[in-house]
């Protein structure tokens, strides 16, 4: 398994090695009603699994950005694992983004995932940034950060089609995105086809595959309605069969995710980004299942 940051800063870009797959995690801040400390135990357990880095989401509509900063800081400065702070722009002005970036810098956070964010009907967008590529360009101009971008193997839901989505992704990379993290998917072939489209478009940065272990029934329904990932017949059969047996569903979901990871590693992908859902038990089982392959 890859070695981790101990003490000094490690450039995430240096962690991507030819013929090696990197494993990273994603976590989210606790709900506004819970104290930030409530997530520390989870973070400590996740960091002990030695991921290459942990990324921290940004509340929809730019809410609770302070928590993103505090958690990314805790991961990096206390648990000594490199971190990435997500940042969205659709509901932010340039000065709000600048303030958030300044706090990241004050906390020694050097990596950001630059996102547009979802357009929420009851929150009219601000006009300073239209696309993630605008935010990326802005952050690059300010300087001092490694910048990641999001990508969508099964095409972003707002995009006209797969070709325009790839052309837009190329704009984001040209604007300064140095590596990409994908939306979750359950069908590896859709990811491999996406990698081919990226290659054709001249997108040559590392692209990590987003893997979400589905371990409970509520999650299945949320996944389908939120991100529109296609569900292969094998996946649906498993979910249908075990949906009312929580332990079997959890084990089957973990096994499915491990199977996806083994195939991705065998095919030489740059990285696997595990959407941990703040669940160290599931992350541990998956990490244990693939650690000898990394
Ligand atoms: P963009 O890259 O701006 O793309 C959005 C749409 O605009 C696409 O259809 C694209 O084709 C089009 N487009 C892009 N650039 C251009 C251009 N220059 N000209 C014309 N059209 C263009 N959301 C959160 O609120 N918080 C998070 O922490 C968060 N983390 C995420 C992490 C990952 C790995 C992923 C995959 C998504 C995450 N999201 C998060 C969700 C994300 O904010 C939404 O999917 C959002 O709708 C799009 O954000 P984006 O940065 O991909 O947007």
């Amino acid at each position: 398994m890859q070695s981790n940051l101990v003490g000094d800063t490690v450039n995430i870009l240096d962690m991507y090695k030819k013929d090696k797959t990197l494993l990273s995690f994603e976590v989210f801040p606790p709900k506004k009603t819970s104290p930030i400390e409530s997530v520390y135990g989870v973070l400590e357990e996740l960091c002990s699994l030695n991921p290459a880095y942990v990324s921290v989401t940004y509340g929809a509509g730019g809410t609770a950005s302070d928590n993103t900063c505090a958690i990314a800081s805790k991961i990096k400065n206390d648990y000594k694992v490199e971190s990435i702070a997500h940042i969205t722009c659709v509901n932010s002005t340039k000065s709000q983004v600048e303030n958030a970036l300044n706090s990241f810098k004050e906390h020694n956070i050097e990596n950001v995932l630059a996102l547009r964010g979802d357009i929420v009907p009851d929150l009219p967008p601000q006009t300073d940034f239209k696309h993630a590529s605008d935010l990326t360009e802005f952050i690059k101009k300010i300087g001092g950060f490694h910048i990641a971008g999001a990508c969508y193997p099964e095409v972003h839901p707002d995009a006209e089609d797969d070709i325009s989505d790839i052309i837009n992704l190329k704009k984001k990379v040209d604007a300064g995105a140095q590596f990409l993290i994908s939306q979750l998917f359950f069908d590896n072939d859709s990811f491999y086809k996406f990698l081919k489209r990226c290659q054709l478009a001249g997108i040559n940065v590392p692209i990590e595959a987003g893997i979400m272990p589905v371990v409970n029934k509520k999650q299945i329904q949320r996944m389908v309605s939120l991100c529109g990932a296609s569900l292969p017949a094998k996946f649906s059969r498993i979910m249908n069969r075990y949906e009312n047996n929580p332990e079997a569903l959890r084990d089957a979901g973990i096994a499915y995710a491990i199977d996806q990871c083994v195939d991705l590693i065998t095919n030489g992908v740059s990285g696997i980004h595990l959407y941990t859902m703040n669940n160290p038990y599931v992350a541990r089982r998956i990490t244990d299942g693939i650690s000898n392959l990394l």
Side-chain angles (χ1 to χ4, degrees), residues 49 250-251 254-255 258 280-290:
L49 299 176
R250 183 197 63 199
D251 285 355
I254 290 171
I258 291 177
Y281 170 82
V282 173
R284 180 177 293 281
R285 283 192 50 189
I286 293 173
T287 306
D288 285 350
I290 61 173

Side-chain angles (χ1 to χ4, degrees), residues 8-282:
D8 288 321
T9 292
V10 171
N11 180 345
I12 286 187
L13 290 170
D14 291 339
M15 295 184 192
Y16 295 105
K17 304 265 188 262
K18 205 172 175 291
D19 300 327
K20 229 171 160 26
T21 300
L22 159 165
L23 178 66
S24 61
F25 291 167
E26 180 169 306
V27 297
F28 50 80
K31 286 201 180 103
K32 272 188 201 153
T33 44
S34 306
I36 191 155
E37 292 78 14
S38 64
V39 82
Y40 288 174
V42 163
L43 297 180
E44 191 167 6
E45 271 193 74
L46 287 171
C47 288
S48 74
L49 299 176
N50 207 25
Y53 68 81
V54 179
S55 82
V56 187
T57 63
Y58 204 74
T63 54
S65 61
D66 289 352
N67 282 350
T68 302
C69 181
I71 291 172
S73 168
K74 185 90 186 158
I75 292 166
K76 174 150 187 178
N77 300 309
D78 290 1
Y79 302 130
K80 309 293 182 201
V81 171
E82 196 53 74
S83 65
I84 298 185
H86 297 201
I87 180 166
T88 65
C89 62
V90 67
N91 294 113
S92 302
T93 61
K94 283 187 177 170
S95 77
Q96 285 169 325
V97 166
E98 239 174 325
N99 287 342
L101 295 174
N102 284 338
S103 338
F104 294 163
K105 274 190 185 161
E106 280 161 20
H107 289 85
N108 196 25
I109 298 159
E110 294 173 53
N111 307 290
V112 288
L113 173 56
L115 298 146
R116 182 194 73 180
D118 283 324
I119 297 168
V120 213
D122 48 355
L123 205 58
Q126 291 282 355
T127 50
D128 282 0
F129 304 96
K130 193 158 184 213
H131 307 292
S133 51
D134 304 325
L135 175 66
T136 305
E137 200 180 335
F138 183 74
I139 298 173
K140 191 177 173 190
K141 229 178 241 163
I142 287 178
F145 291 100
H146 301 299
I147 310 171
C151 62
Y152 301 82
E154 296 184 276
V155 184
H156 188 274
D158 298 352
E160 260 171 53
D161 53 38
D162 54 349
I163 303 295
S164 59
D165 207 29
I166 285 287
I167 292 170
N168 294 332
L169 185 61
K170 175 79 165 81
K171 288 181 194 161
K172 182 152 57 179
V173 171
D174 290 344
Q178 296 163 295
F179 55 106
L180 299 171
I181 305 175
S182 97
Q183 179 60 285
L184 64 95
F185 58 87
F186 300 108
D187 175 5
N188 285 4
D189 281 343
S190 68
F191 186 71
Y192 301 139
K193 285 182 191 151
F194 167 72
L195 291 183
K196 281 251 169 347
R197 292 200 295 280
C198 287
Q199 216 180 344
L200 285 171
I203 296 171
N204 297 315
V205 297
I207 303 177
E208 282 192 49
I211 294 296
M212 171 167 294
V214 173
V215 292
N216 63 55
K217 197 173 165 181
K218 216 168 89 195
Q219 227 185 325
I220 309 173
Q221 286 144 359
R222 251 179 79 81
M223 282 313 97
V224 178
S225 64
L226 272 186
C227 77
S230 59
L231 305 178
K234 179 178 161 183
F235 178 87
S236 299
R237 271 198 303 275
I238 294 171
M239 297 300 140
N240 291 338
R241 179 155 180 125
Y242 300 114
E243 63 180 349
N244 295 317
N245 181 342
E247 284 183 0
L249 181 63
R250 183 197 63 199
D251 285 355
I254 290 171
Y256 191 91
I258 291 177
D259 191 43
Q260 271 193 287
C261 292
V262 170
D263 183 66
L264 289 163
I265 297 164
T266 307
N267 277 280
V269 303
S270 299
I272 292 174
H273 189 66
L274 193 65
Y275 292 99
T276 69
M277 304 303 290
N278 291 10
N279 186 329
Y281 170 82
V282 173

